[in-house]
Amino acid sequence: MDAILKSQAEHLAREMGTRVTTLDDLNGLMRAMMTTARERMLNTEMDVHLGRRTETTVTDNPTPDAPTTNATERVSAAPKSRRNGHSQKTVSGDLGDLQLRTPRDRNGTFEPQLVATGPRRLDGFDEKILPLYAKGLTTRDIQDIVKDLYGVEVSPARVSEITTDLDAEVTAWRTRRLEGVWPIVYLDGIVVHVRGENGRVSPHTMYVAIGVNLQGRKELLGLWLSEAEGPKFWLSCLTDLKSRGVSDMFVVCVDGLSGLPEAIRAAFPRTKVQLCIVHRVRAARKYVTDSDSREVAADLKTIYPSATVLEAEEARETFATKWDAKYPTIVRPWRATWADIVTRFEFPGAIRKAIYTTNALESVNRVIRTFTRNRKPYPNAGRARKLVYLAIHEASKTWTMPIVGWKAARNHFAIVFEGRMPTRPPN
């Protein structure tokens, strides 16, 4: 906005401030101004189309033969015609519905650029609907909110049409190329309910993979859907990541699904697996009475904060001596999976803190659960993937900073995984 136009706008705003007394008055005045301005612009477009006005374009890189004004004048090459009245068109925008008088020409060749012939909504309006949908609001909720905020009637079918445009985006995202090296990857599955072709609703597992890239920022790597969670399907997910460019993962953090560590090693033989300590503690407390639950959790806490593997093993045996007779099902899983529990002790504190739990996925799971809670079961598998992608994509806008202590962790990764860490990580 140039200085003259800005000054005029400020003067108009001051005058409006003395005359407008309610928010409705202000919105009505803004709609009138927007309508008038757009109609003037449409009429200017018609003048250019009819050849009654030249259209000036500025040349960014003038050639030596170009005029010193760096401007060229172009007269519309449209065949001779003339105006032929107006047609009414209603378009929706941030200020509500606008009734525009769109000029017509006798030959019917005028195609306005400001308000195209087909669309009934101004640019940017649909983008305001998508975040509401991503936050788990139903189409009916969105209809009411848009009506209250903008005075625009948006049918549930229209909301569905807007989200349908995401299909191509989701397909491109699911097949995009990925960086080759990921220092940390978190894998987890969450149950969602999907309506099948037979009309019956059944639980499915949404497989989620989040990676921490070489800059320490989280990134959603993939979403997959299956009727049940199992290591065989996880292997297909990991194979998909390999086909899209992933060549190495240093540490993969998982919740303890039986067979998953073996699936990870089958796809990435050099990758280390770390079982989520938080999940291990939760699983142990399931077998404990309420009266002992807090004490058992406190005793387990003496194991995983240990400084070394030897200290952790001593704490584990102390725990076993105290509780094995009463709760034998607690100690047995810790011993059976001990090699993948103590992976974190191979690393310094900066890395241990980042990999001891899959809590990095908890925020994603909360988004999915919130989204699922606020709506009926997903109508089909494709819609489930699309809507969960949309919800997570909205949540990932906050993933702008590296994880805590990343610089120190990256330096240690470069030492521990010498030869596997790229010497020049991408910016």
Side-chain angles (χ1 to χ4, degrees):
M1 183 184 295
D2 60 33
I4 295 178
L5 187 58
K6 182 177 181 181
S7 176
Q8 292 175 340
E10 291 174 349
H11 176 75
L12 180 60
R14 286 193 296 269
E15 185 174 347
M16 288 167 54
T18 62
R19 297 174 180 269
V20 174
T21 58
T22 67
L23 184 59
D24 287 341
D25 290 343
L26 178 61
N27 288 336
L29 182 59
M30 294 298 293
R31 280 196 295 272
M33 293 174 59
M34 183 67 73
T35 300
T36 300
R38 289 184 179 274
E39 288 181 348
R40 289 286 297 272
M41 295 168 71
L42 286 168
N43 281 310
T44 299
E45 283 191 62
M46 175 61 82
D47 287 341
V48 173
H49 176 73
L50 297 177
R52 297 176 183 174
R53 182 177 301 187
T54 59
E55 183 178 359
T56 302
T57 59
V58 179
T59 305
D60 293 331
N61 298 303
T63 61
D65 296 331
T68 56
T69 59
N70 292 340
T72 59
E73 289 188 339
R74 178 171 62 84
V75 179
S76 173
K80 287 188 178 293
S81 183
R82 58 189 177 89
R83 289 178 176 268
N84 187 33
H86 297 79
S87 60
Q88 295 285 341
K89 183 170 184 177
T90 302
V91 294
S92 299
D94 293 351
L95 298 174
D97 290 342
L98 303 181
Q99 306 290 334
L100 299 181
R101 298 175 70 249
T102 303
R104 299 190 303 251
D105 68 320
R106 179 58 63 90
N107 293 344
T109 56
F110 177 53
E111 293 289 342
Q113 301 301 309
L114 177 64
V115 182
T117 303
R120 294 284 175 176
R121 302 192 186 280
L122 300 175
D123 290 343
F125 185 78
D126 289 355
E127 284 72 12
K128 294 192 170 47
I129 291 179
L130 291 178
L132 297 176
Y133 203 58
K135 293 183 184 302
L137 297 178
T138 66
T139 53
R140 299 289 181 181
D141 294 335
I142 294 173
Q143 184 183 27
D144 294 339
I145 290 174
V146 172
K147 175 66 175 176
D148 291 341
L149 291 179
Y150 303 116
V152 178
E153 293 284 354
V154 180
S155 67
R158 176 58 186 168
V159 176
S160 297
E161 289 175 9
I162 293 171
T163 60
T164 298
D165 296 337
L166 287 171
D167 288 340
E169 178 182 334
V170 174
T171 299
W173 176 82
R174 292 183 65 201
T175 58
R176 77 197 188 285
R177 295 293 294 177
L178 297 171
E179 295 179 16
V181 177
W182 295 85
I184 305 174
V185 174
Y186 304 94
L187 304 179
D188 199 7
I190 184 171
V191 175
V192 296
H193 290 82
V194 179
R195 190 178 303 279
E197 295 181 359
N198 59 3
R200 298 181 60 183
V201 176
S202 60
H204 286 57
T205 298
M206 184 70 71
Y207 292 71
V208 183
I210 287 183
V212 176
N213 61 24
L214 294 170
Q215 294 76 43
R217 296 183 178 88
K218 293 187 297 183
E219 181 179 336
L220 183 63
L221 303 182
L223 289 173
W224 305 268
L225 189 67
S226 177
E227 291 190 8
E229 184 177 14
K232 185 176 180 180
F233 191 84
W234 266 122
L235 180 58
S236 69
C237 300
L238 294 166
T239 302
D240 177 56
L241 293 178
K242 291 185 70 173
S243 70
R244 293 196 282 128
V246 177
S247 59
D248 199 1
M249 301 175 181
F250 296 163
V251 182
V252 175
C253 309
V254 297
D255 62 2
L257 175 69
S258 178
L260 180 51
E262 289 73 23
I264 295 170
R265 295 186 183 101
F268 296 92
R270 297 190 296 173
T271 294
K272 295 183 178 297
V273 177
Q274 172 65 55
L275 295 182
C276 175
I277 303 298
V278 174
H279 278 81
R280 296 289 84 198
V281 174
R282 289 175 184 169
R285 296 179 71 176
K286 289 180 180 179
Y287 300 96
V288 178
T289 62
D290 291 343
S291 59
D292 291 336
S293 180
R294 185 169 298 181
E295 186 178 358
V296 166
D299 289 345
L300 285 173
K301 195 173 182 179
T302 64
I303 301 175
Y304 52 87
S306 302
T308 65
V309 176
L310 182 60
E311 288 183 16
E313 289 176 345
E314 292 176 351
R316 182 196 66 190
E317 293 310 309
T318 300
F319 178 89
T321 301
K322 180 177 180 180
W323 296 105
D324 201 18
K326 190 173 184 180
Y327 300 113
T329 53
I330 295 180
V331 179
R332 192 180 305 126
W334 281 72
R335 285 176 172 158
T337 59
W338 187 248
D340 292 329
I341 291 177
V342 297
T343 297
R344 60 192 298 268
F345 292 107
E346 300 178 27
F347 303 99
I351 299 177
R352 291 185 190 185
K353 188 173 182 180
I355 67 174
Y356 89 100
T357 178
T358 57
N359 278 350
L361 276 169
E362 288 302 314
S363 60
V364 174
N365 291 343
R366 280 195 299 272
V367 169
I368 297 175
R369 290 190 184 98
T370 300
F371 199 63
T372 304
R373 234 185 354 253
N374 290 347
R375 60 183 61 250
K376 296 178 180 179
Y378 298 103
N380 53 60
R383 185 70 65 84
R385 278 189 294 265
K386 180 178 69 175
L387 299 183
V388 171
Y389 160 79
L390 180 61
I392 297 177
H393 179 70
E394 187 69 19
S396 67
K397 292 179 180 178
T398 62
W399 300 350
T400 57
M401 299 298 292
I403 63 175
V404 177
W406 176 249
K407 287 188 176 180
R410 186 172 67 180
N411 289 333
H412 287 297
F413 272 125
I415 296 172
V416 175
F417 297 96
E418 185 178 4
R420 293 168 62 183
M421 173 76 83
T423 55
R424 288 188 177 182
N427 295 325

